[in-house]
């Protein structure tokens, strides 16, 4: 099992309680961004292009705890920026563990070995290490030579000390499905608990605008990658979300399922878009015009989106909405290898060369290459 039984039990009983209470909109994972600073400048990132006075800001531990308590979600993901650059990250994590929240601390791991003494192994804490593929692919994606080796070394150290470790991987146009599958083998051999995957989102602030995927290309790429699965591969994601990426399921977006709190407040409507902020979680739920978002809304900002933060909560809701959804989840978790002859053929197709390694200093406004489909 890629997720401990206690975590599955906590999440399942939480969702069932929301359903019994008749709640239609409830959060599953709080995306807590305690800062935007980062020690990398990845070409596909839309989070770090803020002016210096914003990049200097940190949420205080008390602000983090207030947001977590107010939101009530059983899981907290801590992205950023790079959370290990927050001066009180140890205190924040300790406070969340005390609240029995399942925490995914998302890190590029450049500072993990140096800061690991700040943390204690716990079933509530997982280091979710950003690795975008094998050595060459990862270093290209994060615009940093040697980044893969540092991250893998830190993963080994964290595992040796008894921490839970997963990987999180964002895939862009030009990703080589064969290489991604080889990367899965490497990560399983390394001993991580599970792997998380998402297509990149076309942030309009991201420096590299040429390599975002349209929906049809996303489905084709994930079909090639995730069909004919090896039984050793473990994913720390809903199997129905993976089927959504492969084009086997369609779901509407559930932007309130993974709400975002950061130095500006509660971000409307989701982790990716910034259509204003609310002062409280209840205000976020009450004042966001949810019908304006999601692929079906016709909103161009949502047209190509299939990202984890919008659609994994949809897949989890599908699990609990019907017996069929529950059985599909069990089958996807335990039994399905997703045999697919056509996907084997897709693996043999030539892949366009990826972008050259560049250290991004400032956003460039290149023209957007059309990838919508
Ligand atoms: S479709 Fe994507 S960008 Fe649009 S609201 Fe959902 S998660 Fe946000």
């Amino acid at each position: 099992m890629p997720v401990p039984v206690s975590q599955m039990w906590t999440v399942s009983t939480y969702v069932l309680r929301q359903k019994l209470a008749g709640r239609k909109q409830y959060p599953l994972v709080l995306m807590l961004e305690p800062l935007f600073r980062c020690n990398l400048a990845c070409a596909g990132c839309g989070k770090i292009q803020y002016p210096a006075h914003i990049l200097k800001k940190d949420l205080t531990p008390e602000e983090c705890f207030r947001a977590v308590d107010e939101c009530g979600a059983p899981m907290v993901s801590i992205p950023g920026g790079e959370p290990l650059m927050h001066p009180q990250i140890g205190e924040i994590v300790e406070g969340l563990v005390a609240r029995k929240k399942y925490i995914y601390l998302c890190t590029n791991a450049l500072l993990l070995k140096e800061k690991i003494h700040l943390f204690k192994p716990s079933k509530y804490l997982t280091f979710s290490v950003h690795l975008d593929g094998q050595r060459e692919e990862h270093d290209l994606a994060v615009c940093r030579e040697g980044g893969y080796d540092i991250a893998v070394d830190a993963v080994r150290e964290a595992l040796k000390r008894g921490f839970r470790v997963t990987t999180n991987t964002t895939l862009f146009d030009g990703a080589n499905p064969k290489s991604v599958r080889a990367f899965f083998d490497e990560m399983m051999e390394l001993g991580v608990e599970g792997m998380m995957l998402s297509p990149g989102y076309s942030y309009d602030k991201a420096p590299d605008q040429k390599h975002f995927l349209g929906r049809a290309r996303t489905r084709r790429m994930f079909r090639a990658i995730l069909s004919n699965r090896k039984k050793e591969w473990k994913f720390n994601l809903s199997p129905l979300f993976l089927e959504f990426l492969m084009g086997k399921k369609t779901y509407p977006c559930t932007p309130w399922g993974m709400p975002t709190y950061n130095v500006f407040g509660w971000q409307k409507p989701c982790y990716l878009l910034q259509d204003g902020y609310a002062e409280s979680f209840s205000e976020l739920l009450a004042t966001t015009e949810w019908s304006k978002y999601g692929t079906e809304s016709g909103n161009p900002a949502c047209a190509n989106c299939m990202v984890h933060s919008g659609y994994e909560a949809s897949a989890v809701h599908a699990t609990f909405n019907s017996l069929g959804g529950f059985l599909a989840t069990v089958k996807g978790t335990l039994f399905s290898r997703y045999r697919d002859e056509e996907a084997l053929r897709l693996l043999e197709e030539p892949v366009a060369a990826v972008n050259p390694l560049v250290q991004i200093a400032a956003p460039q406004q290149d023209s957007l290459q059309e990838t919508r489909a």
Side-chain angles (χ1 to χ4, degrees), residues 68-367:
V68 168
D69 293 342
E70 197 188 337
C71 175
M75 292 184 278
V76 180
S77 176
I78 310 181
E82 170 51 54
L84 294 181
M85 293 177 77
H86 191 294
Q88 291 162 294
I89 190 63
E91 200 181 319
I92 293 170
V93 166
E94 195 179 340
L96 301 189
V97 168
R99 284 166 170 76
K100 300 192 171 171
K101 299 294 178 185
Y102 284 93
I103 306 155
Y104 285 88
L105 195 155
C106 305
T107 175
N108 57 41
L110 296 182
L111 292 171
L112 185 54
K113 279 180 88 171
E114 187 185 316
K115 303 260 177 153
I116 204 161
H117 66 279
L118 297 173
F119 308 98
K120 291 193 202 93
S122 160
K123 70 175 181 179
Y124 294 109
L125 173 62
T126 303
F127 291 116
S128 177
V129 175
H130 174 195
L131 277 162
D132 280 348
Q134 291 185 287
R135 181 179 286 106
E136 187 185 352
E137 283 75 11
H138 176 75
D139 288 356
L140 284 167
V142 302
C143 307
R144 164 85 179 242
E145 263 178 294
Y148 176 92
D149 289 334
I150 296 172
V152 165
D153 196 32
V155 167
R156 282 203 185 93
E157 180 67 24
L159 289 170
K160 196 171 85 189
R161 289 176 180 240
F163 287 97
R164 293 179 62 190
V165 182
T166 61
T167 53
N168 71 73
T169 302
T170 307
L171 296 176
F172 295 93
D173 206 5
N176 180 336
K178 271 190 172 171
S179 169
V180 176
R181 290 168 66 89
F183 166 73
F184 292 164
D185 291 338
E186 285 173 15
M187 292 303 105
M188 290 294 97
E189 270 171 38
L190 193 56
V192 302
E193 175 182 299
M195 302 176 286
M196 299 181 184
L197 287 179
S198 183
Y201 174 76
S202 52
Y203 286 105
D204 57 8
K205 294 197 290 301
D208 179 358
Q209 292 287 323
K210 291 180 179 167
H211 294 92
F212 294 119
L213 284 152
R215 282 196 143 215
R217 285 159 69 161
T218 297
R219 288 189 285 258
R220 189 178 166 85
M221 183 178 80
F222 280 97
R223 181 180 176 185
I225 293 169
L226 292 170
S227 298
N228 307 297
R229 255 175 242 180
K230 297 191 183 174
K231 66 178 183 326
E232 294 81 15
W233 295 352
K234 294 189 196 122
F235 295 98
N236 203 295
L237 290 164
S238 156
L240 301 189
F241 174 65
L242 297 178
E243 291 186 13
F244 165 75
L245 293 179
M246 297 162 75
K248 291 178 177 296
K249 295 270 191 298
T250 52
Y251 296 121
C253 177
T254 308
W256 56 85
M258 296 196 185
T260 298
Y261 183 76
N262 58 35
V263 297
F264 298 119
W266 292 92
Q267 185 167 301
K268 296 182 179 183
C270 68
Y271 181 65
L272 306 160
L273 302 181
Q274 292 167 290
D275 278 357
Y277 290 86
E279 288 192 7
S280 67
F281 180 62
S282 50
E283 185 191 318
L284 175 83
L285 282 185
T287 63
T288 305
E289 286 185 69
W290 299 108
S291 61
K292 280 173 47 184
Y293 302 101
T295 312
E296 293 76 14
S297 70
N299 186 336
C302 298
N304 282 324
C305 179
M306 293 181 79
V307 302
H308 152 265
S309 55
Y311 291 90
E312 195 184 4
S314 314
V316 172
H317 295 319
T319 296
F320 291 96
N321 268 349
S322 67
L323 181 61
F326 181 75
L327 292 176
T329 304
V330 172
K331 187 175 167 209
T333 306
L334 298 178
F335 306 115
S336 280
R337 301 273 81 85
Y338 300 94
R339 304 272 175 242
D340 182 340
E341 290 299 319
E342 172 63 12
L344 289 175
R345 196 192 61 71
L346 291 177
L347 282 178
E348 300 307 322
E349 285 186 348
V351 178
V354 294
N355 47 327
L357 178 58
V358 281
Q359 183 69 44
I360 303 296
Q364 301 161 5
Q365 293 305 318
D366 284 7
S367 59

